[in-house]
Amino acid sequence: MTETLDPADTGAVASAVGAAAERLHTALVENRPCAPVRELIGERDITLAYAVQQQLNAHRLEAGAVVVGRKIGATSVAVQQQLGVDTPDLGVLFDDMEYDASAPVDISGLLQPKVEGEIAFVLREDLAQGDLDLDQVAAAVDYAVAAIEVCDSRIADWDISFADTVADNASAGGYVLGTERRTLDGSDGRGAFVPKDAAMTMTVTGQDDVAGTGAASLGDPLVALQWLARQARDLGDPLRAGQVVLSGALGPMRPAAPGADVALTIDGLGSVTLSFSEKE
């Protein structure tokens, strides 16, 4: 691991950030894992890690990708303890990351995918002004849906520190959304949907079932959304109407092997499935 960079040495800092972003971009483009970037930027310099993420994502924007939302990671105590932190992280969702549940995901386009069951929120209002308290955040949600997130690390063997996963766009890979939409205030005539109380089960071919509730994500997925809204604004890129937000895992991740089928059910949000192609 590199020694801590001196923030006053702007040249060294810029060089380290650029090298880390280029390493991750090459891994993404060439579809092959790379060494951790913490050796370039340190394990816990989150400011530098987000700077790397911004440069990495700029490559995708330059190639024509469109931002459609955000994801929150490290929302569970267990994952935070594993990474040695006490805060979540965030990443960007691009338009080519959404999968169609009716067709298998081409697993050859992923490096080392894992799946999580989550509640996704679709926003009807920007979250850019005001106190961003829980009432404001909840009112900005158009609807909630069940979601399967596909996490994927460009870092070989998932050998990540917190800085590694932040730099690597929060280990974002892809996602699929369910079709059953619920409003939080009950305006859809079905009663209010309470994310923190929603029970989740997820099955993955050949593995133990996963169970959890909305409370696994920072105690309440709306609290996770609030954290994201504030952090995104602090980073100069606030959440916007129409964006999708993956609000954090409701249970442990499971690896996605070739040919695996994933089925997720969240009480009140119905089910969503995803399958992975066999390797040729």
Side-chain angles (χ1 to χ4, degrees):
M1 184 186 72
T2 188
E3 296 182 1
T4 302
L5 292 167
D6 180 359
D9 190 346
T10 56
V13 169
S15 177
V17 168
E22 189 58 34
R23 179 180 295 183
L24 290 167
H25 178 61
T26 299
L28 180 67
V29 171
E30 297 183 358
N31 199 34
R32 60 177 177 80
C34 64
V37 297
R38 58 180 178 270
E39 63 188 39
L40 300 171
I41 62 172
E43 289 188 5
R44 289 185 170 81
D45 194 321
I46 306 309
T47 299
L48 291 189
Y50 277 115
V52 174
Q53 182 187 125
Q54 289 170 345
Q55 286 198 21
L56 173 66
N57 290 339
H59 285 300
R60 300 201 66 178
L61 294 170
E62 290 167 3
V66 177
V67 174
V68 296
R70 305 293 179 83
K71 63 153 289 184
I72 310 169
T75 54
S76 76
V77 173
V79 172
Q80 289 181 9
Q81 289 176 341
Q82 175 189 358
L83 297 175
V85 296
D86 59 1
T87 184
D89 66 349
L90 67 86
V92 174
L93 301 178
F94 293 100
D95 55 340
D96 60 355
M97 289 182 175
E98 184 173 5
Y99 298 128
D100 183 349
S102 66
V105 173
D106 180 4
I107 203 165
S108 67
L110 298 164
L111 291 172
Q112 40 199 350
K114 299 183 179 185
V115 291
E116 295 179 337
E118 307 196 10
I119 293 172
F121 299 113
V122 177
L123 302 180
R124 67 179 169 212
E125 298 175 5
D126 293 350
L127 284 170
Q129 306 293 330
D131 293 335
L132 299 181
D133 59 24
L134 282 177
D135 287 341
Q136 180 184 356
V137 167
V141 173
D142 191 8
Y143 57 87
V145 293
I148 298 170
E149 180 182 0
V150 180
C151 302
D152 197 19
S153 179
R154 269 53 64 177
I155 307 297
D157 301 318
W158 280 91
D159 178 17
I160 57 173
S161 69
F162 191 58
D164 288 307
T165 189
V166 169
D168 188 23
N169 195 26
S171 302
Y175 65 95
V176 60
L177 300 180
T179 58
E180 189 168 341
R181 302 177 176 183
R182 289 290 301 275
T183 61
L184 303 185
D185 60 5
S187 59
D188 55 7
R190 298 183 57 193
F193 175 69
V194 182
K196 69 178 180 179
D197 294 337
M200 176 273 291
T201 57
M202 183 176 73
T203 63
V204 183
T205 301
Q207 301 181 57
D208 293 338
D209 292 353
V210 175
T213 69
S217 180
L218 292 186
D220 185 340
L222 285 174
V223 171
L225 177 58
Q226 179 190 41
W227 176 89
L228 174 63
R230 290 175 169 175
Q231 185 72 7
R233 185 173 67 179
D234 288 347
L235 290 171
D237 190 11
L239 301 181
R240 299 298 184 185
Q243 289 187 338
V244 176
V245 174
L246 302 179
S247 65
L250 308 190
M253 288 194 298
R254 289 288 186 264
D261 294 316
V262 184
L264 172 75
T265 299
I266 298 179
D267 288 352
L269 296 179
S271 301
V272 59
T273 60
L274 189 63
S275 61
F276 292 86
S277 65
E278 296 278 1
K279 283 188 176 179
E280 297 182 357

